[in-house]
Amino acid sequence: MADLFCEPFPDKSWLLPRDFPLIDQFDSLNQNSPNCHGNMLKNNVINSSAMSKPSYIYLHLVHDYGDHDKLFFCDGDQSFLENVPWLIMKTDNYYVPSLFLIPSFETELRNLFPEKATVFHHLGRYLFHPSNHVWGLITRYYRTYLAKADERIGIQIRIFDSRRGPFKHVMDQILSCTLKEKLLPAVDMQDSVVNPSENAKLKAVLVTSLLSGYSEDLRNMYWEHPTMTGEVVGVYQPSHEEFQQTEKQMHNRKAWAEMYLLSLTDVLVTSAWSTFGYVAQGLGGLRPWILYKTENDTVPDPPCHRAMSMEPCFHAPPFYDCKAKKGIDTGILVPHVRHCEDISWGLKVVDDHDDL
């Protein structure tokens, strides 16, 4: 944490003290732990009248959580949990959309976030401050390549494919989206356009990808041919690490720096299903164009779609009516929680007035 983030609270810490009584148990907590909320419900421990109030409850809200774990999002279970001194949670989900479906949370969430689709934006900007080393990566790159541009376009490419890329259909999709939506200018393949004037508008394109092939193709296109508009386009990619290296310190620093750099762009294009892109759009307060997930190596039609809001998508939401105790489509219950553009079963928060 200290390698990536500064502490957000003056004279306080968001880290537990090293002598916190349960800290040695964190790694071993799982769905079968005695104090796991879902496991206690499954074994009817919580319903026992003889049960004394536990000192802590473990909440398993990871993507593989079960039906009993998902009852966390029910009002009835919240009334029990609010009396437990310590809640310990493991999650890799952005579960905020389902919090908006808990009736007892409604007033507090409305007071905290009058503009509903700003939750991640406000929390991210308030809590996630890059460490000095990461801030150096951000500022040096921004000043060198992006600061002088008239417009900055971010393109975040994440491919969920076990094969080795880059792939032509992905490059075709990127071009189809950015040219169709007029995010990037078309080029004159006949080289008949006159040379741009000294006052030509400069567009800086920031590409983030594990591979370098996509940015190289884009860079070559704008080097080898003039644009139809006379604009000058520069293409930049901070790193190309080839594959994800989660435990490598410098790899994580670069990833965090590139998320932040993407958030500083004026226009953003992101990849479907990618939490990397979600972080960038949320921090920047940007509604990106989302590149639809490709199937059978073909370019989707349309290739991309403008996001309804800047909020991330909850990839694994519960589909359960707590009162009726049956399955339900939780994406149609309230106007401000809808299904995601990139994952049909996911949920995201939108403002009531957001355009579809």
Side-chain angles (χ1 to χ4, degrees), residues 9-165:
F9 306 115
D11 303 318
K12 304 289 182 183
S13 178
W14 64 354
L15 301 178
L16 287 170
R18 293 187 179 275
D19 60 353
F20 184 73
L22 300 172
I23 205 164
D24 293 335
Q25 301 180 37
F26 285 175
D27 289 341
S28 63
L29 291 171
N30 57 53
Q31 285 174 290
N32 298 317
S33 298
N35 277 50
C36 176
H37 176 239
N39 193 37
M40 295 173 76
L41 288 171
K42 184 178 179 180
N43 294 319
N44 293 315
V45 175
I46 288 177
N47 296 331
S48 172
S49 58
M51 178 191 176
S52 59
K53 183 176 69 175
S55 59
Y56 77 95
I57 288 287
Y58 167 60
L59 302 170
H60 188 82
L61 301 182
V62 186
H63 64 274
D64 64 351
Y65 64 163
D67 291 341
H68 288 92
D69 299 306
K70 295 175 184 179
L71 295 177
F72 166 81
F73 297 104
C74 290
D75 251 336
D77 287 86
Q78 286 298 325
S79 61
F80 164 77
L81 293 170
E82 68 183 8
N83 295 312
V84 178
W86 287 97
L87 297 179
I88 300 166
M89 178 191 302
K90 286 183 185 178
T91 184
D92 55 3
N93 278 311
Y94 182 72
Y95 56 80
V96 166
S98 287
L99 296 184
F100 277 91
L101 301 180
I102 302 176
S104 62
F105 285 18
E106 185 177 353
T107 300
E108 187 70 19
L109 285 171
R110 184 172 62 247
N111 291 337
L112 285 168
F113 305 103
E115 294 286 323
K116 298 179 182 69
T118 62
V119 177
F120 186 91
H121 179 68
H122 287 307
L123 293 180
R125 295 291 288 269
Y126 187 73
L127 295 173
F128 299 150
H129 301 278
S131 64
N132 289 344
H133 185 99
V134 176
W135 189 242
L137 294 176
I138 295 166
T139 53
R140 287 190 295 273
Y141 202 90
Y142 186 86
R143 290 168 182 165
T144 303
Y145 301 106
L146 306 177
K148 296 179 181 179
D150 297 295
E151 185 179 22
R152 287 160 284 274
I153 298 97
I155 303 178
Q156 179 261 333
I157 306 168
R158 179 71 160 110
I159 310 301
F160 299 95
D161 196 313
S162 58
R163 297 171 298 169
R164 178 71 177 167

